[in-house]
Amino acid sequence: MKDIFLATVRRILRKGSTVYIEIAGLTLGITAYLFIFNYVFFELNYDHLNDDRSIYRLETHSFEEETLKLKDAFTSSSLGPILDSSFTQITTSRLIPYSESGQGFFKKQKGEFNFLLDHVYFSDSSVFNVLGLNLVRGCSKSSLTNPNSIVLSTPMAREIFKDEWKNGLPILGKVLRSGERGLIQDTFVVTGILGEVPRNTHLSIDALVSINSSGLNIHSRTDPVYTTYTYAQIESEHLLAKIETTASKLISRGQKVGLKKRITPIAIGDIHNNSGVSNDPGNSINRSLLFFLSAVGVIVLILAYTNYVISTILSSINRAKEIAMRRLLGIKPSQLVRMFVGEALILSVLSGCLAIFLFYFGVQLNSNYKTGIQYLTIGEIDFITSTVFLILILLLTTLVSSLYPSYYFLSLSPSSLLKGRDGLVQTREFKQGNQVLKFLLIGQICTSMIFLSAVFIVYKQLDHMEKSDRASFEFNIKGVFPGNAGADEAFSHRSLQFFDDLLASRSVSSISVGNMYNGEIKTSLSIDSLFLLSDSIANFQIQLSIIDNSYWKDSSDVFLYGKNFRSLFGFDHDKVIVNESAWQFLKKGLTDSENQYRIKSRAGYLTLTGIVKNQKPDAPPKVYLSGYRYPTYFEIGLEYPGRAGEKLADFIQKWEYSFSRNFPYFYFLDKGLEKTRDLEENVFRLFLFFSGVALIITNLGMFGLAGFITQKRTKEIAIRKILGASGKKIFIVLLLDFFKLIMIGCLLAIPVVIFFTRLWLENYPQRIEVVPSLVVYPFMMLVLISTIVIFEKCWKTSNQRDLNSLASAD
């Protein structure tokens, strides 16, 4: 083995450029495949670490005339409890976003810094069993049982309680206060800390708040509002059809004619790859992108193997005389095989080590600079599996690249080998393999055409999507104003003036403002004594609902006294409407001022403007408030001008800042507007990069094959030159022969390109058209690249001296 190692080192030093090309091609191929395999593995294994296929998310799918119109991740909050009571073999868990944006502000004490948590949910205690979450501190059975209890993720606990975490002091039992953003002002007791959650999960969690907390009102069993993520652990797949039917019947009441809603269970491992779902808490990726990327990885690896084998054979042929002398000196066939295998193994190991270094270096760079592409980090990689995988690759490369040269040279006689490289080219064995070499070259050209076309098509699609963003169009977007306790009539007048100025500028086409969210009560709280009443009823539970004029707009007959809020929003900030049950308890504390009932509240006096009938005989006391003092929803029509170089998300951010100057803490709900597109654009760029790597490897192989094929034509070229042919004409003849092979490779590639292009583009509503230029331009580029690659070989062969050509042909 020592002799083989020394011989390999001498070969590298003597034939450095050839060996370097072999190592470079294989290193690039293995590195590219490792990156692609790592990324695809990361994406396909979202939520698979639990290996529990019995967990499903229940989604609401809307159909119109049996055509799927919308997939929504939200369900009614009453769905889970109803299913639990109807089926004994399932366990459900509900997650309700803490706010419209899912964010929440928390602080340790009044006046301290607010910590913004991006992913906060109200949840019941079954979430730990259903989703397989573990607690590093606290008890999963009781952590979310008591009202106003909160469970923090490990990163959030470490950030909020830095000193306690650093010094190992207890965190459980610590109190957090809700921040200043929004109506809810409450305190929460830390009862648990979640263990580390894998990055490849569709559901990021910073904190879980007990679903029994006072800041949340769970509606009745007939609740039509869809604001809840419902997860279910279903023991038997046979129950799926029954659950789907039962759940769909529950939501079928009161639906519009022609519109049907169905509850569809989606396996948790399929959520990330299930694109087109609204209100999804994570992002999704199109499976076709992963398919194409995986195909690129496999092709790159095959190309690297092929080029390495061809390069090894070519370099071995140059050693024909050396091998002949070894055989004449009595080297055994087994020794010759060990020599080839040993040399190939050393080069393969060297390439593999370089590939591993480049891979880990790239993963670390990606982790440091946040490129948007998610890989398994070094700490997450299974080293045993990765090592076994690389060993198999290296062994396969070694065997393929060494056994064929060994067999080839053992089949030749020493006298044939003594003729050297040029003599071997003229042997019968070489001529028989000429067709095989042409097929290999056609395959390389076909692969180049496919990759060039893919790169060009992906580039055109990206450019088309960017131009679509730059095109002027109008769109509607929802915004939220958390409320301003000091909002009064003057505030409402300023708001109207602000809206009039916007509409006059024609940058905003429409604005509608109200306390209702899609026509439903979004903010509904159970409060203790909002009003300052007598001690006998001071602690009575009252349901506070924030509404606007549209809630009873078409139902004036429900009023027993008074009237609805005014349609001019914001000018009834000091008014209140109550139902019959609330009237019975509140009338004792009312004051009559100029024939108007006034209620003394913590926010000052409120004038009773109406009393409505109870919606049910046993309806609890309810009071209704309106105005900018409370969470307010904006429906805004924006005219996007399509400025060059400005993304839609940047445009939205500017308008958010503009509104927040007049409405503090205003924010748009469509924060994830471009989240999925950004992910797919990152995958496109990854595809482009590794397609470029594949093209480099392909042309390295084409360069070697071109030299291999031109060697056999040395005698023909010598005879042509003796008969008067110029070197220029011979050069053109050689190029034309290669162009024939190029044409064959392109004709084979074009149907493949067109088929997969149509298949891929079907996933995008904004897509380019499949036109001839998509393959014409790549073909022209391939001709140019191929000419550059084979130019040196053809030129050298065509300008070789006549006597040298004839001598090499003997």
Side-chain angles (χ1 to χ4, degrees):
M1 190 62 186
K2 180 180 179 181
D3 294 337
I4 295 175
F5 177 78
L6 293 175
T8 304
V9 172
R10 286 195 295 269
R11 182 187 163 214
I12 293 175
L13 296 175
R14 187 174 65 253
K15 299 286 185 179
S17 60
T18 303
V19 179
Y20 294 154
I21 290 176
E22 294 177 15
I23 296 174
L26 186 57
T27 300
L28 282 176
I30 296 176
T31 305
Y33 185 77
L34 289 176
F35 272 108
I36 293 174
F37 175 79
N38 183 295
Y39 176 76
V40 173
F41 181 84
F42 182 88
E43 291 293 328
L44 290 179
N45 281 273
Y46 260 65
D47 303 293
H48 279 201
L49 298 183
N50 197 7
D51 291 331
D52 191 347
R53 303 297 295 171
S54 64
I55 303 174
Y56 296 83
R57 184 175 74 187
L58 304 181
E59 297 181 354
T60 305
H61 291 185
S62 300
F63 294 82
E64 189 172 335
E65 296 179 355
E66 298 304 320
T67 300
L68 180 61
K69 293 295 184 180
L70 177 67
K71 294 188 291 185
D72 196 337
F74 278 149
T75 67
S76 169
S77 60
S78 60
L79 179 63
I82 292 175
L83 291 179
D84 280 334
S85 61
S86 302
F87 298 93
T88 58
Q89 293 178 289
I90 72 170
T91 305
T92 65
S93 178
R94 294 170 294 174
L95 291 175
I96 303 175
Y98 183 79
S99 63
E100 286 82 8
S101 65
Q103 298 175 326
F105 282 87
F106 296 89
K107 55 187 177 183
K108 290 189 283 188
Q109 301 214 357
K110 287 184 178 180
E112 285 196 359
F113 176 75
N114 280 323
F115 292 93
L116 174 61
L117 280 62
D118 287 320
H119 309 285
V120 185
Y121 300 93
F122 290 101
S123 177
D124 39 36
S125 57
S126 61
V127 67
F128 302 105
N129 290 331
V130 173
L131 295 182
L133 302 176
N134 67 299
L135 292 177
V136 293
R137 301 184 190 180
C139 176
S140 60
K141 293 182 179 180
S142 59
S143 291
L144 293 177
T145 302
N146 297 326
N148 287 35
S149 56
I150 186 171
V151 173
L152 298 174
S153 68
T154 296
M156 287 298 102
R158 188 185 297 121
E159 180 180 354
I160 296 174
F161 300 101
K162 290 182 180 179
D163 295 336
E164 291 85 347
W165 188 276
K166 183 178 179 180
N167 298 319
L169 299 176
I171 296 176
L172 301 187
K174 297 288 184 180
V175 175
L176 287 178
R177 298 179 180 271
S178 56
E180 302 300 332
R181 188 174 185 172
L183 182 67
I184 301 171
Q185 297 291 323
D186 221 330
T187 58
F188 301 92
V189 178
V190 180
T191 56
I193 298 178
L194 285 172
E196 294 288 351
V197 179
R199 290 183 300 119
N200 54 342
T201 177
H202 77 283
L203 189 65
S204 298
I205 298 174
D206 290 329
L208 295 173
V209 179
S210 172
I211 207 167
N212 301 317
S213 300
S214 59
L216 179 69
N217 176 63
I218 299 298
H219 300 275
S220 66
R221 292 169 64 88
T222 59
D223 172 29
V225 182
Y226 295 85
T227 57
T228 305
Y229 298 112
T230 303
Y231 293 85
Q233 189 173 29
I234 303 173
E235 297 179 8
S236 173
E237 292 186 2
H238 300 293
L239 288 174
L240 291 178
K242 286 186 178 180
I243 292 171
E244 187 172 352
T245 302
T246 303
S248 298
K249 286 181 179 179
L250 292 173
I251 65 172
S252 62
R253 302 168 186 171
Q255 293 183 11
K256 296 179 180 179
V257 177
L259 182 65
K260 294 182 179 180
K261 289 185 177 181
R262 301 175 188 169
I263 298 298
T264 304
I266 304 296
I268 193 170
D270 298 331
I271 292 175
H272 181 64
N273 303 121
N274 184 24
S275 58
V277 181
S278 63
N279 293 312
D280 198 315
N283 52 33
S284 59
I285 189 170
N286 199 305
R287 283 184 181 271
S288 63
L289 285 176
L290 296 179
F291 169 76
F292 284 118
L293 202 58
S294 301
V296 170
V298 173
I299 293 173
V300 167
L301 196 61
I302 292 174
L303 288 174
Y305 287 158
T306 304
N307 290 344
Y308 187 60
V309 171
I310 292 172
S311 179
T312 303
I313 293 173
L314 290 174
S315 61
S316 298
I317 291 177
N318 292 329
R319 302 168 61 192
K321 290 184 178 180
E322 173 195 344
I323 295 171
M325 294 301 298
R326 287 178 179 270
R327 291 187 60 184
L328 290 172
L329 292 174
I331 187 174
K332 297 179 180 179
S334 59
Q335 292 176 316
L336 185 63
V337 171
R338 284 200 300 271
M339 182 186 73
F340 277 103
V341 171
E343 290 180 359
L345 180 61
I346 292 171
L347 293 179
S348 297
V349 170
L350 180 59
S351 300
C353 292
L354 290 174
I356 293 173
F357 171 78
L358 292 176
F359 171 67
Y360 285 126
F361 180 73
V363 168
Q364 192 61 43
L365 280 180
N366 179 77
S367 177
N368 293 338
Y369 292 99
K370 309 295 182 184
T371 63
I373 300 294
Q374 295 287 334
Y375 292 105
L376 293 175
T377 62
I378 295 176
E380 296 171 332
I381 295 173
D382 186 344
F383 282 97
I384 296 178
T385 303
S386 303
T387 303
V388 172
F389 175 73
L390 284 175
I391 290 175
L392 290 176
I393 290 179
L394 296 178
L395 288 177
L396 178 63
T397 306
T398 300
L399 292 175
V400 172
S401 61
S402 59
L403 293 182
Y404 179 78
S406 303
Y407 168 79
Y408 179 75
F409 285 114
L410 287 173
S411 65
L412 295 173
S413 62
S415 59
S416 299
L417 292 171
L418 285 173
K419 294 179 181 179
R421 180 195 63 190
D422 298 330
L424 285 177
V425 170
Q426 305 301 324
T427 60
R428 179 173 59 86
E429 290 81 1
F430 181 85
K431 292 178 180 178
Q432 290 175 346
N434 184 51
Q435 295 300 319
V436 176
L437 295 174
K438 285 187 177 180
F439 288 144
L440 287 174
L441 184 55
I442 290 173
Q444 296 274 22
I445 293 169
C446 181
T447 305
S448 294
M449 179 64 184
I450 292 174
F451 274 111
L452 273 175
S453 299
V455 169
F456 182 68
I457 291 167
V458 170
Y459 167 76
K460 294 294 288 184
Q461 175 65 13
L462 280 174
D463 184 62
H464 178 74
M465 292 170 67
E466 290 182 2
K467 286 181 178 178
S468 298
D469 281 348
R470 293 197 294 268
S472 176
F473 65 94
E474 184 180 325
F475 67 99
N476 291 327
I477 187 169
K478 285 185 173 63
V480 177
F481 171 50
N484 182 353
D488 53 12
E489 190 169 339
F491 185 92
S492 299
H493 276 294
R494 290 197 303 270
S495 300
L496 282 178
Q497 185 61 48
F498 175 67
F499 299 153
D500 290 339
D501 293 341
L502 290 178
L503 293 171
S505 69
R506 297 185 179 181
S507 298
V508 175
S509 59
S510 62
I511 296 181
S512 60
V513 187
N515 295 126
M516 310 292 288
Y517 180 79
N518 289 339
E520 302 290 345
I521 298 176
K522 186 71 171 178
T523 306
S524 185
L525 309 174
S526 293
I527 60 172
D528 293 329
S529 181
L530 171 72
F531 307 103
L532 301 178
L533 306 174
S534 62
D535 294 338
S536 60
I537 58 174
N539 295 320
F540 193 82
Q541 291 286 331
I542 300 174
Q543 184 172 324
L544 168 65
S545 297
I546 311 300
I547 66 168
D548 54 48
N549 169 269
S550 61
Y551 189 65
W552 287 304
K553 185 175 182 179
D554 300 322
S555 305
S556 58
D557 58 328
V558 303
F559 281 84
L560 299 174
Y561 163 83
K563 58 184 179 179
N564 193 6
F565 293 126
R566 283 182 285 180
S567 58
L568 194 59
F569 181 78
F571 286 86
D572 284 326
H573 60 278
D574 57 349
K575 305 293 192 300
V576 63
I577 296 175
V578 302
N579 69 348
E580 294 178 79
S581 299
W583 167 253
Q584 296 300 322
F585 286 97
L586 297 176
K587 61 183 180 181
K588 297 178 182 179
L590 299 180
T591 59
D592 188 354
S593 176
E594 298 179 357
N595 297 321
Q596 288 185 332
Y597 292 106
R598 302 180 69 198
I599 305 173
K600 188 177 182 181
S601 73
R602 293 174 178 174
Y605 280 100
L606 299 174
T607 301
L608 181 68
T609 189
I611 302 173
V612 295
K613 299 176 182 177
N614 284 345
Q615 294 179 345
K616 295 186 298 182
D618 57 345
K622 292 185 180 182
V623 298
Y624 302 91
L625 299 173
S626 180
Y628 288 112
R629 293 184 176 182
Y630 316 104
T632 305
Y633 300 93
F634 289 66
E635 182 83 25
I636 306 169
L638 291 177
E639 182 68 31
Y640 179 57
R643 298 187 184 96
E646 181 181 46
K647 288 190 174 182
L648 180 60
D650 298 329
F651 174 76
I652 292 173
Q653 187 176 9
K654 289 180 181 178
W655 274 105
E656 184 178 61
Y657 173 72
S658 176
F659 273 87
S660 65
R661 287 184 296 175
N662 294 274
F663 302 94
Y665 301 112
F666 173 92
Y667 61 98
F668 284 120
L669 292 178
D670 301 60
K671 285 292 187 183
L673 192 66
E674 289 196 332
K675 184 168 54 177
T676 298
R677 175 179 288 190
D678 288 342
L679 177 63
E680 292 187 347
E681 287 186 356
N682 285 330
V683 177
F684 289 155
R685 293 185 179 95
L686 195 69
F687 176 82
L688 292 176
F689 176 76
F690 287 114
S691 293
V693 172
L695 284 173
I696 292 173
I697 296 174
T698 299
N699 286 294
L700 285 175
M702 190 184 299
F703 180 80
L705 283 173
F708 204 32
I709 291 176
T710 54
Q711 287 291 335
K712 68 172 281 293
R713 305 188 65 179
T714 52
K715 184 176 181 180
E716 173 193 344
I717 292 170
I719 295 174
R720 284 176 178 268
K721 296 184 73 173
I722 291 174
L723 294 177
S726 64
K728 182 179 179 180
K729 289 183 178 180
I730 295 173
F731 175 72
I732 293 175
V733 169
L734 291 174
L735 282 181
L736 288 176
D737 286 346
F738 276 105
F739 285 155
K740 292 178 183 178
L741 300 178
I742 292 173
M743 289 297 298
I744 295 173
C746 289
L747 289 175
L748 293 174
I750 287 174
V752 177
V753 171
I754 294 176
F755 173 77
F756 284 106
T757 298
R758 291 184 183 276
L759 183 65
W760 175 59
L761 290 176
E762 286 178 358
N763 297 285
Y764 301 95
Q766 295 178 336
R767 55 178 177 264
I768 58 176
E769 295 183 4
V770 180
V771 294
S773 61
L774 293 181
V775 292
V776 171
Y777 288 129
F779 170 73
M780 295 172 61
M781 181 61 68
L782 179 62
V783 170
L784 177 61
I785 293 175
S786 300
T787 302
I788 294 173
V789 169
I790 65 179
F791 179 86
E792 188 268 343
K793 293 294 183 182
C794 294
W795 180 260
K796 182 178 179 180
T797 304
S798 62
N799 287 278
Q800 192 173 3
R801 289 184 180 182
D802 303 347
L803 292 177
N804 291 341
S805 298
L806 287 172
S808 64
D810 292 337

